[in-house]
Amino acid sequence: MNSGKSSVMNLLTQQETSIVDPTPGTTADTQIALQEIHGIGPVKLFDTAGLDETGKLGEKKRHKTLNDLKECDLVLLVIDPATRDIRTEQDVIEKARDLDKQILIVYNHFDPTPTAPIEEALDLLRFYKKIHIEANNVKYRAGLIDFILKNYTPKQDTTELLPFVRKDEYYVLIIPMDVETPPGRFLRPQAMVEEYITRHWAYPVSFRLDLGKARGAREQAEEENTRFQRFLKNFKKRPHTMITDSQAMDIMKDWCPPDIGLTTFSIVMINYFSRGRLHTFAAGVKALETVKSGDKVLIVEACNHSRIGEDIGTVQIPNHFAKHYPGVTIEHNFGREFQDNKQLEQYTLIIHCGGCMISAQKLQARLRDLETVGVPITNYGVLLSYLQGPATLERVLKPFSRITAVTE
Ligand code: SF4
């Protein structure tokens, strides 16, 4: 507390993003700012609460701050060099080292106290690059940014959204619009997929599937299938791959011809946001082979979209478990917060949505926690394909086969 983190935040963002006050513990919750830093690109800045506040509220703030630590790529540890009690600084450095985070030290001077006392007290500080600033003085801003640019090494992210897309090929997006579909726009996964295909000089073509009809009485299902076959006949060149809403897998596994690739939006998303770790989710689904009465399964959706009709997370998957895995308890987690490791230990399996509304860093922090406690995780697209049989699961993973083969 009171090392001047919020002043550093405001110095970087050049506005009053965070409230600055000498009262200890002023930052009650993490402040987030999005900013383009020339030389790095778009950056998300977290101004966290201090870790050294006591009491129940202090514990909550600490929990939040440690979650932010898990998700960040770079830790700017702001220290008042006049500090004498260095237990908190030591705690942060040790935790950040455990999580393999890059650390830079920002000495924020409130008065011209020499830095020797704290460096002598905390040997760990020797290992990190440091800068001395006065966060309340704007003249230090350029130097601080320059210091970050010089010393921060971004992790290389080479994960492609659709690694199978080739120039001049056609890709079909199967989009069953239902009551949950918002008017006026595609869902984020659909928009991202369409944009990626276009950007790579290939051709996205959408087919709106009437899922109710396709699953309906014979006559209706045939009518919808005929419309789909007509659609396919219009292609002079065969489409390369179809990307479908996962919930239509019961239909598309039969309708999509075997010479055309097939995968789902949810699989595309989870592979992308987990930085190519689809194999983790494919391996996790095998937990269903041993799940038994009395076990708990956690369904995780990373956003709070309106849940109406036959929602996958709250209706379709729970119904499937009630029918095929009696005695298994289903729990839910919606939104950006995630259980801590102690709570996660109670689950036999985690089933995660595509995760398109959280950052790759947040999803990776979740994977790291689950690895630590040894709880398997799978994903909607993987699960709904698995439920259609091993051949279907194999088929939807195939477009990513380089990833799954290399890493398994
Ligand atoms: S975050 Fe998850 S539940 Fe929300 S829109 Fe994306 S995939 Fe769907």
Side-chain angles (χ1 to χ4, degrees), residues 187 189 269 300-305 307 353-358 380:
L187 295 173
M269 288 296 123
V300 182
E301 290 194 352
C303 78
N304 262 315
H305 65 90
R307 296 180 174 85
C353 72
C356 74
M357 291 289 177
I358 53 171
Y380 283 8

Side-chain angles (χ1 to χ4, degrees), residues 226-270:
T226 305
R227 192 172 70 86
F228 179 72
Q229 298 306 331
R230 267 206 314 270
F231 162 78
L232 263 188
K233 266 201 193 132
N234 285 327
F235 286 90
K236 283 196 180 144
K237 183 177 181 184
R238 207 79 166 138
H240 183 283
T241 303
M242 295 192 181
I243 301 120
T244 178
D245 193 309
S246 304
Q247 61 180 314
M249 191 47 76
D250 58 330
I251 301 296
M252 291 314 299
K253 74 168 197 310
D254 299 324
W255 288 19
C256 177
D259 63 315
I260 298 177
L262 178 65
T263 193
T264 83
F265 288 105
S266 184
I267 289 176
V268 168
M269 288 296 123
I270 207 71

Side-chain angles (χ1 to χ4, degrees), residues 307-326:
R307 296 180 174 85
I308 35 182
E310 294 279 292
D311 181 67
I312 299 185
T314 52
V315 180
Q316 294 183 33
I317 296 178
N319 283 352
H320 180 85
F321 270 84
K323 196 165 162 196
H324 299 282
Y325 302 95

